[in-house]
Amino acid sequence: MNTGTAPAPAPATDPAGEGPTIAVRHLLARIGRYTFLCAVLGFFALPLLWLATAPFDDTPTITASLPQFTLDNFRALLDNPYALSSLLNSVYLAAGTAALVVTFAALAAYALSRVRVPGRDALLYGLLLLSSIVTGTATMVPLFELAFRLNLIDSRLGVILILSGGLLPAAIFILKDFMDSTPTSYEESARVFGASALQIMRHIVVPVVRPGLATVGVWAVANVWGNFLVPFLLLRGPEKAPAAVIMYTLYTEGGQADLRLLSTFSLLYSLPVALMFVFVSSRYGFRFHGGIKR
Amino acid sequence: MSAIAMRELTKVYPNGVRALDALDLEIADGEFFALLGPSGCGKTTLLRTIAGLEVASAGSVRIGERTVTNLPPGKRDVAMVFQDYALYPHMTVQDNIAYPLRIRKMDRRGRAAKAADTADELGLSALLERRPGQLSGGQQQRVALARAMACHPQVFLLDEPLSNLDARLRLEARTFLKRLQRELGVTTVFVTHDQAEALALADRIAVMEGGRIRQVGTPTEVFRRPANTFVAGFIGSTPMNLVDAEVHDGELAVAGTRLPMPQDADDRVTDGEKLVYGVRPEYLDYSPEPVPGALSGQVVVVENLGSFSLVSLDVPTGDGVMDGVGDAVGVAGTTLQVVVPEGREPEPGDTGWVVPRPGRSLLYRDGELVSTAPAPAVPTARTGVDAER
């Protein structure tokens, strides 16, 4: 016990001797760190700044600059026959896909979480691995062929089904984690009270994993919103094309990208997703009320 | 309010674990019954099998007049309070209490009234609009009890009802629970691994080990006359002293001392037989002076337990005593523990003498109690004790 206290003062004198050099090193490290952070911040902030300024600029360029303020770009965009309807198309596709993905992922994840299936984990990992290919470019040819045979070319349903198929494995994976962390005693107590499986799902499981469902829903919408290839290949005309595809058609007569329309349309294109994010996180947030004593 | 009867109840899990092994048990109407045992003994499985959350592999369960062995949990008319209470986090206290009524399709107003009534009985009226996350552990437990009470079941099943409360609250909740059960008069079965909890709460206790019932009895019976060395070691805040002994001329040779034969055992032993002598630390009297008929030894540890101390004595092994015989569970070897009232504690290193109180010592042969009475008399229950283990 006595020997233990003796060395204690020694370390205190040590840093005092090297004080200045350590302080300088700390300062340099700090400057370096902030410089790096600024560079990273700039890398991500500049495109967003362009998105905020270019739509209101008379003559937008590909760099962010102080705009000559005008709303003419929006007027010009409204003249484009497909601009606004394409946003609506995007909403159809995103909402349809999200609904399918959330419903089926919830049912599958619940089952996989609660029922002991041999090889369950292998199945999940296999699906997750394959799903990164299913909607990928690699399988576009067979998927197109499949859609053609099923008469799903130029149909929103076809796009929704193919997108859902691609998103489902990852969604099941995410939701299974939420289901796993929900104590089974919730359902068991409801069972003892006589609740049926569907009642348990509706009254207990869905409300408890609602943050997870919201996460998966938002994630599915964002995925569909940004997907270009599947609707581009499967939908023939511009009437059904979603915003991501219509954006591709915004050229001037000379074949150059029309930056005025592009920037304006980009802003309109990104707003719904951003708003949805804010809404969902404030409405469903990632709260867990407790009620299980750990 | 109903009696519960189990016959040859067996539960084998898919992985081959035999959690319940041909178990027979009767629980009387209105009884407060404890299932007690170490973890893994099958007590929770038994409770869940009564609830219907586990399906019995063989045997039957009756609640009241109905055989419920193959009924789903919702049709058994039981209510269960889970160890973690399982209150629904997204519902208010009122909705939680009313949930069983919602399942029974009672209308919204009736549900609210019934929930308010039940909450009132348990002193929860001020908390109806709160969510479970905003309640203390004790309040959560009472909400869980209220939810179970709201549907007026035949049987209450409580899984470790006190284990999630801190020590002080636990005593409070224990008294509360006992009074509530008495007032409601509903047959209640609870699971616990805490022998003190079982002794304090239950009208009768079933002590379980390895999927079998080792003894069923009132707290007094189980405490005073454990049917085997397992129960003897498990029941009591300090385990029973179990010492090797040998019969000599109608007396017992224990650690080099001759002790009188426990009364109801004397005509059931043969001369020279090797047995295990059991006596609770509470039933030993300590003396700093030599006393006739006492076991003597050196004090090694003195543990202060408030109004009394637990003294451990090293008793040297005499000639007529051998080591390593008897059930391994709780055999104290040559260490004796004795309860000494405050103010009379010895110091470690002292030599002390302990005398068993008359009529409080027991004899065990092959781990089972040697007694004239065929196992402690339990009028309504057949015990699942199996001497051939």
Side-chain angles (χ1 to χ4, degrees):
Chain A
M1 278 303 163
N2 274 340
T3 51
T5 54
T13 57
D14 236 324
E18 291 181 43
T21 50
I22 284 186
V24 168
R25 217 187 302 154
H26 268 291
L27 186 69
L28 285 178
R30 184 171 285 201
I31 289 173
R33 204 156 57 227
Y34 281 120
T35 315
F36 173 71
L37 286 179
C38 285
V40 172
L41 189 69
F43 185 80
F44 286 103
L46 279 176
L48 288 177
L49 198 62
W50 178 84
L51 194 60
T53 59
F56 304 99
D57 200 334
D58 221 359
T59 51
T61 60
I62 55 165
T63 57
S65 57
L66 210 60
Q68 301 281 320
F69 187 80
T70 172
L71 289 174
D72 282 352
N73 297 343
F74 288 90
R75 228 161 279 140
L77 190 69
L78 289 182
D79 289 340
N80 185 311
Y82 301 119
L84 285 187
S85 65
S86 76
L87 282 171
L88 201 62
N89 287 335
S90 280
V91 170
Y92 287 148
L93 293 182
T97 310
L100 272 187
V101 167
V102 168
T103 308
F104 287 108
L107 292 170
Y110 182 55
L112 284 171
S113 165
R114 294 301 189 244
V115 181
R116 212 167 271 279
V117 189
R120 176 186 67 186
D121 290 348
L123 177 81
L124 269 173
Y125 282 107
L127 277 178
L128 199 61
L129 179 73
L130 291 176
S131 74
S132 52
I133 303 170
V134 167
T135 40
T137 320
T139 54
M140 247 1 268
V141 174
L143 277 177
F144 185 87
E145 181 77 16
L146 186 70
F148 184 76
R149 300 225 172 149
L150 291 175
N151 235 345
L152 287 173
I153 298 291
D154 202 23
S155 123
R156 289 200 186 95
L157 181 65
V159 177
I160 288 175
L161 285 179
I162 286 181
L163 287 172
S164 301
L167 296 176
L168 262 175
I172 293 171
F173 202 76
I174 297 169
L175 273 181
K176 183 180 164 289
D177 225 44
F178 275 89
M179 302 279 185
D180 283 346
S181 62
T182 308
T184 49
S185 58
Y186 285 162
E187 298 140 58
E188 288 179 343
S189 74
R191 271 177 66 201
V192 174
F193 294 133
S196 68
L198 272 178
Q199 281 176 318
I200 292 173
M201 188 87 188
R202 231 175 45 232
H203 297 161
I204 316 287
V205 178
V206 166
V208 168
V209 299
R210 186 171 286 165
L213 299 179
T215 308
V216 167
V218 167
W219 168 79
V221 165
N223 256 289
V224 175
W225 202 262
N227 194 301
F228 168 76
L229 193 65
V230 177
F232 178 70
L233 290 178
L234 292 187
L235 296 175
R236 309 269 76 173
E239 304 82 27
K240 289 182 184 169
V245 173
I246 288 300
M247 173 123 37
Y248 183 62
T249 66
L250 297 178
Y251 289 98
T252 59
E253 290 81 352
Q256 292 243 313
D258 188 336
L259 283 181
R260 295 190 313 143
L261 286 185
L262 254 182
S263 62
T264 314
F265 192 63
S266 300
L267 185 65
L268 289 181
Y269 174 64
S270 53
L271 271 182
V273 178
L275 286 179
M276 172 192 68
F277 219 85
V278 171
F279 171 75
V280 170
S281 94
S282 70
R283 178 81 173 73
Y284 298 114
F286 296 96
R287 291 166 298 174
F288 191 68
H289 302 291
I292 286 291
K293 182 102 171 141
R294 285 175 208 277
Chain B
M1 278 138 270
S2 296
I4 308 171
M6 283 145 269
R7 287 277 172 272
E8 302 279 316
L9 194 62
T10 303
K11 172 70 187 178
V12 184
Y13 283 110
N15 59 8
V17 173
R18 188 171 275 265
L20 300 176
D21 196 359
L23 182 144
D24 289 329
L25 182 64
E26 272 176 32
I27 297 166
D29 186 12
E31 199 168 28
F32 202 1
F33 195 91
L35 299 172
L36 173 67
S39 50
C41 72
K43 56 190 191 298
T44 301
T45 304
L46 178 54
L47 192 80
R48 291 171 59 88
T49 311
I50 300 174
L53 293 169
E54 304 287 350
V55 179
S57 315
S60 68
V61 182
R62 289 177 69 82
I63 296 176
E65 297 303 308
R66 295 189 303 159
T67 300
V68 298
T69 320
N70 293 313
L71 287 183
K75 301 252 182 268
R76 296 188 175 203
D77 204 11
V78 300
M80 184 158 168
V81 175
F82 287 77
Q83 187 173 5
D84 57 18
Y85 309 140
L87 299 177
Y88 309 131
H90 56 286
M91 294 184 192
T92 61
V93 166
Q94 172 157 359
D95 290 343
N96 262 292
I97 298 175
Y99 187 71
L101 308 172
R102 182 173 166 191
I103 295 297
R104 292 178 182 194
K105 305 239 183 326
M106 190 189 269
D107 65 281
R108 190 176 290 272
R109 189 175 304 172
R111 260 156 38 195
K114 182 73 195 146
D117 281 354
T118 315
D120 197 39
E121 279 177 55
L122 296 187
L124 295 165
S125 298
L127 308 172
L128 283 177
E129 294 310 311
R130 298 230 194 137
R131 289 189 194 266
Q134 300 165 299
L135 302 178
S136 72
Q139 290 167 337
Q140 289 188 8
Q141 191 201 34
R142 274 190 277 165
V143 175
L145 284 169
R147 186 171 64 177
M149 281 163 58
C151 53
H152 291 295
Q154 301 277 306
V155 172
F156 279 134
L157 304 171
L158 316 176
D159 188 6
E160 301 267 2
L162 302 176
S163 67
N164 267 333
L165 303 172
D166 54 54
R168 182 159 292 276
L169 208 54
R170 194 173 299 179
L171 289 182
E172 216 174 278
R174 200 165 77 182
T175 316
F176 172 82
L177 211 58
K178 185 147 187 170
R179 207 178 70 193
L180 185 71
Q181 200 274 339
R182 192 127 301 169
E183 284 169 8
L184 296 174
V186 176
T187 314
T188 305
V189 185
F190 75 101
V191 156
T192 181
H193 60 267
D194 182 350
Q195 53 84 29
E197 209 171 289
L199 290 173
L201 278 175
D203 297 330
R204 281 199 309 148
I205 301 173
V207 185
M208 294 182 66
E209 186 201 18
R212 287 158 182 249
I213 290 177
R214 302 304 308 273
Q215 184 173 9
V216 182
T218 64
T220 315
E221 285 165 353
V222 172
F223 183 79
R224 287 222 190 130
R225 298 185 63 80
N228 44 59
T229 47
F230 172 77
V231 177
F234 196 77
I235 295 275
S237 50
T238 50
M240 183 181 278
N241 291 303
L242 295 168
V243 195
D244 295 329
E246 198 172 321
V247 181
H248 277 301
D249 312 327
E251 284 186 319
L252 277 178
V254 178
T257 307
R258 292 295 178 98
L259 296 177
M261 185 70 66
Q263 218 166 21
D264 56 355
D266 48 9
D267 55 349
R268 307 195 130 235
V269 295
T270 50
D271 207 40
E273 194 179 4
K274 288 165 183 173
L275 300 159
V276 173
Y277 178 79
V279 60
R280 288 208 175 277
E282 295 87 346
Y283 297 149
L284 283 173
D285 287 318
Y286 179 85
S287 160
E289 311 291 333
V291 196
L295 296 157
S296 76
Q298 195 179 32
V299 176
V300 278
V301 179
V302 178
E303 292 160 76
N304 190 331
L305 301 175
S307 63
F308 61 90
S309 291
L310 185 67
V311 174
S312 299
L313 292 161
D314 256 350
V315 179
T317 310
D319 277 339
V321 179
M322 56 284 141
D323 290 331
V325 176
D327 200 332
V329 182
V331 174
T334 51
T335 300
L336 275 184
Q337 292 193 307
V338 49
V339 166
V340 178
E342 60 184 332
R344 309 221 338 243
E345 303 91 345
E347 291 293 317
D350 289 358
T351 303
W353 285 261
V354 292
V355 191
R357 278 183 215 162
R360 286 283 185 266
S361 48
L362 302 164
L363 270 184
Y364 292 94
R365 180 190 291 127
D366 298 329
E368 298 295 328
L369 183 66
V370 179
S371 167
T372 40
V378 182
T380 55
R382 265 170 64 196
T383 63
V385 172
D386 186 352
E388 295 307 307
R389 265 180 68 80

